[in-house]
Amino acid sequence: MEAAVEVASNLRPDDYREVFEGHGHYPLFHIPLSAFNGDTVWFEVPNGKTAGLAGVQEEGKVWMLCTEAIHEYPLTFAREAKRFIESRKEKLLWNIVDKRNTAHLKLLKFLGFKFLRELKHGPNQLTFIEFCRVRSSKCDICPPGRGLSR
């Protein structure tokens, strides 16, 4: 809960706009509430600052919100985010992201997510981008070293 309040109180400007303008939520109320819904983790950078909060809710809905601390240790943060995503067992991770949030778009691409389509969303009908990541699974009935098609 402490990390959720810290992130909500110190959001990056683009993250704040996404939560407030894009979804119509008040960060100090919505983010701690979301932290209790599903599996949630927080990211700390080497100087001890909380850099972000992320979670996966039912049906693979993934989310992340960040503070400016991500810019102090960008490689460390990106690697930890990748470790979190790679650890997930869901076949499909998905959500939407504010098109204006370029740092998150760059991170999502690094994490292996694909961008599907643009759509209007929220009380201000802002442009969001739908994204997903499908976990590949090996074929259990194929002989070792053989794919499904050749």
Side-chain angles (χ1 to χ4, degrees):
M1 179 57 96
E2 186 178 325
V5 171
E6 185 176 343
V7 170
S9 300
N10 297 290
L11 285 173
R12 293 175 51 253
D14 285 350
D15 288 39
Y16 180 86
R17 289 185 337 173
E18 184 167 332
V19 173
F20 187 69
E21 296 173 14
H23 293 285
H25 299 303
Y26 292 100
L28 277 170
F29 174 76
H30 184 74
I31 295 170
L33 186 63
S34 293
F36 285 107
N37 187 5
D39 188 15
T40 304
V41 298
W42 71 91
F43 300 95
E44 218 173 73
V45 288
N47 64 7
K49 292 181 182 176
T50 301
L53 191 70
V56 178
Q57 297 172 345
E58 62 184 72
E59 298 180 7
K61 184 177 182 181
V62 64
W63 61 273
M64 178 183 288
L65 294 165
C66 300
T67 70
E68 290 289 348
I70 67 169
H71 301 297
E72 297 173 27
Y73 297 90
L75 294 176
T76 301
F77 175 74
R79 287 182 189 129
E80 289 303 313
K82 186 147 185 102
R83 187 182 334 264
F84 170 67
I85 292 299
E86 295 291 333
S87 75
R88 302 306 306 180
K89 302 297 183 211
E90 294 85 0
K91 177 138 175 100
L92 174 68
L93 296 174
W94 63 275
N95 205 336
I96 58 176
V97 60
D98 188 329
K99 185 178 181 176
R100 304 171 298 173
N101 199 335
T102 56
H104 280 207
L105 292 170
K106 185 177 177 181
L107 179 63
L108 287 165
K109 186 174 181 179
F110 172 76
L111 297 175
F113 285 89
K114 302 295 180 206
F115 302 114
L116 304 175
R117 65 183 171 121
E118 291 186 0
L119 54 103
K120 298 295 183 186
H121 174 75
N124 297 310
Q125 290 296 287
L126 298 177
T127 303
F128 275 67
I129 300 172
E130 183 177 36
F131 64 88
C132 74
R133 180 177 168 172
V134 178
R135 175 180 288 282
S136 60
S137 59
K138 63 181 182 180
C139 178
D140 292 331
I141 60 172
C142 299
R146 306 292 296 275
L148 290 174
S149 61
R150 290 232 172 230

